[in-house]
Amino acid sequence: MSTASTRTPGREPGEPGGRTTVIRRPGAGHRTAPAVPVRRRTWTVPLVPASVREARERAERSLAELGLAPGASVFDAALLVVSELVANAVRHAPRSPDVEVAVTVTDGLLVIAVGDLDPRLPVPFGRTSGQGFRTVTDVARAYAGDLRVESDPGGRGKTVIVWFALPG
């Protein structure tokens, strides 16, 4: 899976200059692929501990609006991923005033992206940290997905992207 994501400080998602995410299926390369419907919900929360709960509640509403069934295992897995990634940002991205969460459903995929403005990249699976990343990766792989961290090309932050194959 290939993605491109950028964020301009001071811009809200959906505004000109805000974050834009392009999703390409694995193996699609740069060929022109047929357009597929994309349903997305994006929101921003401040980087404070209470934001973990706020992001999870917002994700719960968003996933239901996007057509996922509350109580389904992939629904619960997605909530866990949002909670873990926002908690990691609260804990490890002190240079960022907020975090942006995006939940996207397209072409049999569920994509969760959490971006902040702290340019330091996380060290997944380190000796003293990384258990949250390990959990998130294990959950994503249980749904034929994975996790990737992308730095902003301008050095203004990073985005953690997790994707799941939706049960068909």
Side-chain angles (χ1 to χ4, degrees):
M1 165 177 267
S2 175
T3 63
S5 182
T6 59
R7 182 173 181 190
T8 303
R11 302 282 184 161
E12 286 299 313
E15 287 184 10
R19 184 182 301 263
T20 303
T21 303
V22 177
I23 301 169
R24 295 180 194 92
R25 297 286 286 167
H30 294 288
R31 293 174 285 149
T32 302
V36 295
V38 175
R39 298 181 322 264
R40 175 180 293 130
R41 299 293 183 272
T42 306
W43 64 94
T44 303
V45 294
L47 274 185
V48 296
S51 294
V52 175
R53 174 180 241 175
E54 180 183 346
R56 182 182 177 94
E57 290 170 352
R58 188 83 181 265
E60 189 169 17
R61 288 190 307 271
S62 295
L63 291 166
E65 290 170 1
L66 294 171
L68 277 72
S73 62
V74 71
F75 189 97
D76 294 337
L79 293 178
L80 174 64
V81 166
V82 168
S83 297
E84 283 291 332
L85 294 181
V86 173
N88 281 347
V90 167
R91 196 173 301 120
H92 300 294
R95 298 178 187 174
S96 184
D98 57 24
V99 63
E100 181 180 280
V101 181
V103 178
T104 306
V105 175
T106 183
D107 196 23
L109 290 176
L110 168 63
V111 181
I112 298 169
V114 176
D116 62 60
L117 295 175
D118 191 320
R120 295 175 301 148
L121 296 178
V123 181
F125 316 130
R127 289 178 48 155
T128 59
S129 64
Q131 294 306 308
F133 265 35
R134 184 179 315 278
T135 298
V136 168
T137 300
D138 289 347
V139 168
R141 288 181 178 163
Y143 291 91
D146 211 343
L147 172 147
R148 180 172 58 243
V149 180
E150 294 185 352
S151 59
D152 179 87
R156 294 178 305 249
K158 65 191 163 296
T159 302
V160 179
I161 302 166
V162 179
W163 65 93
F164 302 82
L166 290 173

